[in-house]
Amino acid sequence: MSLLAVENLQVAFTGTQPVVKGVSFHIEKGEMLALVGESGSGKSVTALSLMQLHDRQRVSYPAGSIRFNGRELLGLPEKELRQLRGDDMAMIFQEPMSALNPLHSIGKQIAEMIRFHQPLREIEIRARVQELLGLVGLDKLRNRLHAYPHELSGGERQRVMIAMALANNPHLLIADEPTTALDVTLQAQIIALLKDLQQRLGLAILLITHDLTLVRHAADRVAIMRYGEIVEHGDTAAVFATPAHPYTQHLLASEPSGHAVPLPAGGAPTLIARQVSVRYSSRRGLWKPPAVTVALEPTDLAVQPGETLGIVGESGSGKTTLGLALLRLIRSTGSIAYQGTEISALNTRELRPLRRKLQFVFQDPFASLNPRMNIGEIIAEGLSVHEPLLTHKQRKTRVIDILREVGLEAEMRNRYPHEFSGGQRQRINIARAMILEPELVVLDEPTSALDLSLQAQIIALLKEMQARRRTSYLFISHDLRVIRAIAHRIIVMRQGRIVEQGETEALFDHPKHPYTQDLLRAAYLHKNG
């Protein structure tokens, strides 16, 4: 008997045809099955159905069966489902910032998972929390259990989610894009950790991902999903060696490629930063001086018109902090000049006219979209602020044009963020920034939520926009293949400082710093010491 057996599962939202159409698969004890497909293919809908996490008022199951250890889960009472979740089955969610409670510390949230399922004393719970943090590579947070989600980097938040999922030693772990927010070195560490747990504890894992490199090296079997159906499945090595379905062949052939667009000649730098630094201070008690954390050491850089400057580094290295500081979205010291104008000392009112020319695409696509506004309203919001004389018809036309430009349909403007996949939400974020025709865009992991084929499409789109508009990009990413396809120059960051920088191909071909060499090796892009 399989640990998990899914047969002919159909999932439908209220008033729609099934979005999951007769899916069948099984997972044995101690096995890792990868579920792979494009954004919107039904992977996450299927995963949420396994633990019955959909809103029962909005979702129905017209047909099918989900059995865990022979026990039918469809129609199981909520009380029994609550006990099963976290105890026998656990899930790592795709977007940790929206999955973690912003009002509670990470220590409290991990402890809550343990307390609900295990009758332990508080001292034992605290010890288990610290053990879990060490298990997922967060040793530095063992003495920071009071930290809140917003105080952690994207990668650190994702590892907290993994610690919560592992808290009660479940038999089945559903990992929905567990490495999306992590740089390549941490991806390798997390997958190695999951493989170790799988072998040591007999843990079964359903791995949902768009990262085919990860699947090739980690999964025992793979199932390829498209339009709510599994079109191919089998042993991972066999499927990768001889893919039978055209869609599988398409996925395996898809990868961001090419080089940065040619730089336009001449022109003063779009942005110049000198000695930009970010420090945070926090109170440690009435009589103790504030603790100071240096998030970004004094940094110099310049971005030319039409240039893409890639920024790579591990989670917590200061990449996003640098981007936020350059756009005056967080407090910093040092000099920031945009087109020759010093903007470091400008107040909010003085900065407002410049905001349309300085845009930011955030890493977490769901948290950055207002859930109470439809997509048309979200994308048009910037136009209402910066181009108030546009008529309703003109705004509508601009919204439709930009939606089509990023590969979405015009009718989607009337839908809400929760009705889109992670990849679709990221394209909405790009549309919201690009509709204002900015001159500098900071893109914080803009393709991390996308599968390979959509990554290639988005990179091609950004390059096309850049060539036409001379837009400058500050492109933050842990995906070195993506960086190589779009960046003219790269800076490598570690622990808040730049450790290496240079022209893209020169840095890839001859990395000098050991950390850069480690990054390239983890991405299978560099083999020599």
Side-chain angles (χ1 to χ4, degrees):
M1 179 178 63
S2 299
L3 179 68
L4 179 75
V6 178
E7 296 181 3
N8 193 35
L9 179 66
Q10 294 185 15
V11 185
F13 291 95
T14 304
T16 67
Q17 294 296 315
V19 294
V20 174
K21 309 166 186 176
V23 163
S24 298
F25 61 86
H26 67 277
I27 304 177
E28 306 298 329
K29 294 179 181 179
E31 179 184 42
M32 182 183 293
L33 172 69
L35 191 58
V36 178
E38 291 185 305
S39 298
S41 63
K43 307 187 303 295
S44 293
V45 172
T46 301
L48 291 169
S49 299
L50 301 181
M51 294 177 65
Q52 300 289 278
L53 292 174
H54 291 297
D55 183 350
R56 293 192 174 191
Q57 302 300 316
R58 298 185 62 249
V59 174
S60 63
Y61 302 92
S65 169
I66 303 173
R67 296 194 307 276
F68 182 79
N69 267 335
R71 182 187 189 187
E72 180 60 54
L73 302 187
L74 290 180
L76 200 66
E78 184 63 26
K79 182 178 179 180
E80 295 181 45
L81 282 171
R82 281 199 301 269
Q83 187 62 40
L84 180 138
R85 296 169 187 149
D87 198 359
D88 296 308
M89 302 169 65
M91 188 165 184
I92 304 167
F93 293 95
Q94 181 176 358
E95 293 166 341
M97 191 60 181
S98 57
L100 293 172
N101 191 326
L103 301 179
H104 295 302
S105 68
I106 59 169
K108 182 175 181 180
Q109 294 187 61
I110 299 173
E112 186 178 19
M113 290 292 297
I114 301 169
R115 193 175 291 114
F116 184 82
H117 292 277
Q118 300 183 51
L120 299 178
R121 295 177 299 164
E122 287 303 311
I123 189 172
E124 294 173 319
I125 291 175
R126 183 180 178 86
R128 176 60 174 160
V129 170
Q130 293 182 329
E131 177 189 0
L132 287 165
L133 289 174
L135 192 65
V136 297
L138 289 176
D139 298 87
K140 64 181 180 180
L141 294 183
R142 284 177 166 177
N143 296 320
R144 289 185 59 209
L145 300 183
H146 59 278
Y148 289 84
H150 71 273
E151 298 178 284
L152 308 182
S153 69
E156 289 169 334
R157 287 194 290 264
Q158 189 66 286
R159 283 178 281 163
V160 168
M161 286 294 302
I162 295 173
M164 291 174 65
L166 297 175
N168 300 294
N169 299 315
H171 301 296
L172 173 64
L173 181 64
I174 302 171
D176 189 359
E177 300 283 3
T179 61
T180 292
L182 306 183
D183 60 84
V184 289
T185 54
L186 290 175
Q187 284 182 3
Q189 293 173 22
I190 292 300
I191 291 303
L193 168 64
L194 293 179
K195 289 293 291 181
D196 177 64
L197 292 168
Q198 174 194 1
Q199 295 166 5
R200 181 156 47 89
L201 305 177
L203 179 67
I205 300 174
L206 176 61
L207 175 66
I208 299 170
T209 182
H210 62 261
D211 190 332
L212 296 178
T213 302
L214 186 153
V215 172
R216 187 193 300 268
H217 288 85
D220 302 300
R221 289 188 298 115
V222 60
I224 309 296
M225 198 166 185
R226 189 187 193 195
Y227 299 148
E229 300 176 322
I230 291 178
V231 298
E232 185 169 358
H233 67 275
D235 177 79
T236 300
V239 170
F240 274 72
T242 55
H245 196 277
Y247 177 64
T248 309
Q249 297 167 5
H250 163 73
L251 280 183
L252 293 175
S254 297
E255 187 174 24
S257 60
H259 302 281
V261 301
L263 272 174
T270 300
L271 186 85
I272 299 176
R274 295 187 179 92
Q275 296 294 288
V276 174
S277 177
V278 176
R279 297 188 174 200
Y280 298 108
S281 60
S282 57
R283 301 295 303 181
R284 297 187 298 175
L286 186 60
W287 308 110
K288 294 182 180 180
V292 176
T293 301
V294 179
L296 179 67
E297 299 281 0
T299 300
D300 298 338
L301 62 83
V303 186
Q304 304 298 322
E307 180 187 33
T308 299
L309 178 61
I311 304 179
V312 300
E314 62 189 355
S315 299
S317 63
K319 306 186 303 295
T320 299
T321 299
L322 174 59
L324 292 169
L326 294 177
L327 264 57
R328 290 287 314 279
L329 295 175
I330 59 173
R331 185 174 298 176
S332 64
T333 59
S335 169
I336 305 171
Y338 166 67
Q339 291 190 340
T341 300
E342 180 64 43
I343 65 172
S344 304
L346 298 182
N347 60 34
T348 302
R349 181 180 58 82
E350 293 168 332
L351 271 174
R352 182 170 296 173
L354 299 177
R355 288 296 183 199
R356 67 169 299 168
K357 297 298 182 182
L358 301 169
Q359 289 290 305
F360 200 107
V361 176
F362 292 92
Q363 179 178 358
D364 191 329
F366 189 66
S368 59
L369 297 175
N370 189 330
R372 297 187 178 185
M373 297 171 66
N374 66 40
I375 298 310
E377 293 169 336
I378 289 172
I379 295 175
E381 187 176 23
L383 293 176
S384 301
V385 174
H386 296 288
E387 298 185 42
L389 298 182
L390 288 178
T391 66
H392 174 75
K393 183 178 180 180
Q394 289 171 324
R395 282 198 299 272
K396 178 180 175 182
T397 299
R398 292 272 293 273
V399 169
I400 290 174
D401 288 345
I402 199 68
L403 280 173
R404 288 173 174 162
E405 196 171 2
V406 299
L408 298 175
E409 298 173 5
E411 310 84 73
M412 292 181 174
R413 69 186 186 279
N414 297 316
R415 292 163 57 183
Y416 288 81
H418 70 273
E419 299 178 84
F420 292 88
S421 68
Q424 290 170 325
R425 287 195 286 261
Q426 192 62 288
R427 282 181 280 165
I428 291 164
N429 271 317
I430 293 172
R432 176 174 59 178
M434 291 302 183
I435 199 171
L436 294 172
E437 300 185 352
E439 295 182 358
L440 174 68
V441 181
V442 176
L443 298 126
D444 190 1
E445 301 281 5
T447 62
S448 64
L450 306 183
D451 58 84
L452 282 177
S453 61
L454 288 177
Q455 283 183 1
Q457 293 173 24
I458 291 298
I459 293 302
L461 169 64
L462 291 171
K463 288 160 74 171
E464 177 188 341
M465 289 179 165
Q466 185 175 51
R468 187 171 62 250
R469 306 179 188 183
R470 296 187 68 189
T471 310
S472 300
Y473 297 146
L474 199 65
F475 199 104
I476 301 167
S477 180
H478 66 261
D479 192 325
L480 297 175
R481 290 178 173 86
V482 168
I483 285 286
R484 191 172 199 170
I486 194 171
H488 298 89
R489 292 184 297 120
I490 296 174
I491 64 176
V492 181
M493 297 191 68
R494 190 182 192 193
Q495 297 177 349
R497 60 167 59 91
I498 296 174
V499 298
E500 186 169 357
Q501 58 184 305
E503 301 294 327
T504 298
E505 289 307 315
L507 189 141
F508 271 80
D509 292 341
H510 305 288
K512 297 177 181 178
H513 196 279
Y515 177 64
T516 308
Q517 296 169 4
D518 289 342
L519 286 180
L520 294 174
R521 272 193 294 267
Y524 306 99
L525 296 174
H526 181 62
K527 297 180 180 179
N528 300 320

